[in-house]
Amino acid sequence: MVDLSLMGAHAGRMNSIERRSWLGKHLRIGQEWLYLSFEDCRATGVTEEDIFELTERSLAAHGREEVEMPAKIGLHPQPDSLMHAMPAYAPSEFACGIKWAGNFPTNAERFPDLVATSAVLILNDHESGLPLALMDACWITEVRTPSVSFVAAKHLADPDATTFGMIGCGIQGKAHVRMASHGLPNVEEIVVYDVFESAMAKLIDTCQPLVAAKIRKAASVEDLVKSVQVIASATPIARPPEPRIRDEWVSAGQTLLLNDCHSQVADATVRRADKYVCDSEAQHRILDDYGFYPQGLPPIHAETGEVVAGIKSGRTSAAELIVVNNIGMAVEDVVVARQIFDRALERGIGIKLPLWQRTS
Ligand SMILES: NC(=O)c1ccc[n+]([C@@H]2O[C@H](COP(=O)([O-])OP(=O)(O)OC[C@H]3O[C@@H](n4cnc5c(N)ncnc54)[C@H](O)[C@@H]3O)[C@@H](O)[C@H]2O)c1
């Protein structure tokens, strides 16, 4: 459970007027805003468990159509790169803002000391529109993304699954392995694969002390796919896709949790899936227009949030092959950002920076 006692101003405990009054005691709205670095965000004490629960709430709110969230628009300054503008407003959480996120997979060769994924977020006061905070959103992205995968797994994977496989052992690979037990409580074995041996070794070094399940390197993608019940992928998004998972390796009862469009999965697999679920149909239609799905999208059973909210069915039989394609939604980011912001204000974390002085 999210520890609401530490979050005095949080949703459900104050109405909008009380919330604004609380906010006004901690920040001179319109005259200053709060800057929060990666480490500041982590120092607030918001945990991975909190973020898992917040993500579940934001997905359900999206499924019930209680949020305003236009599809992302993007820039593509380098081949296979993307920068996405992601605004969202979740009234029930008083969460309003925009994330500006980039993924540049070629950084690995061009700028080896730089990560591929970056993100900052502006949080706004939903009453006046004024900016409240400028914050790092790398940590939010790192943790809310596996939270989405494993909230989806709670509803769409075999609840008794004991095996999980991770394709791609970067930031997301590690975060997924760390958090696998959230949606797969019986997981005993985790199999990992990356094109780089060193990435697999680093994941195991970092994550094995943190998880009860035994982690092993896959001999190949085929070995991984044939060894596990639930598979997640977080590899560079290729346009057009370069699928390495052959359709004949995928079997009934498996659940695929894709974070990288269909980069790794054959079109035949997504088309024969018993259920194909995606987080935002509008968003994936835009990605289709950009050329990420050259064969088009298969019929969509539901959006992830609709399943989480109980509006559409999740897994209904052990034999179903289910593919879940989550590209990430701004509502997940702003809801977590709000909680981090509130805790930072309460605990005096971050730097207050001047804004303009005009009041009218
Ligand atoms: N859906 C979401 O919400 C969401 C959020 C964050 C990141 N992502 C996506 O997840 C992907 C990974 O992000 P990251 O931050 O972990 O990046 P990263 O650069 O830290 O890790 C990517 C890893 O994939 C490996 N890799 C590359 N090609 C591979 C292949 N064919 N097979 C197996 N491994 C391969 C790389 O060696 C690297 O270790 C990106 O495409 C990113 O856009 C999605």
Side-chain angles (χ1 to χ4, degrees), residues 28 74 81 95 149 157 162 172 211 222 265 287 344 347 353 356-357:
R28 289 176 300 142
S81 72
S149 293
T162 55
Q172 280 306 319
V211 302
E222 181 177 0
V265 182
L287 291 171
R347 295 182 176 195
L353 299 171
W356 54 86
Q357 295 293 322

Side-chain angles (χ1 to χ4, degrees), residues 35-38 41 82-84 86 98-104 115-122 134-142 144-145 171 333:
Y35 172 73
L36 295 171
S37 69
F38 182 95
C41 292
L82 59 83
M83 298 179 73
H84 279 159
M86 302 171 60
I98 181 166
K99 184 169 90 165
W100 181 226
N103 186 262
F104 284 58
V115 293
T117 306
S118 64
V120 291
L121 188 146
I122 294 174
L134 170 65
M135 55 206 292
D136 166 81
C138 290
W139 185 62
I140 294 174
T141 306
E142 177 180 331
R144 68 74 160 146
T145 305
I171 292 170
D333 299 303

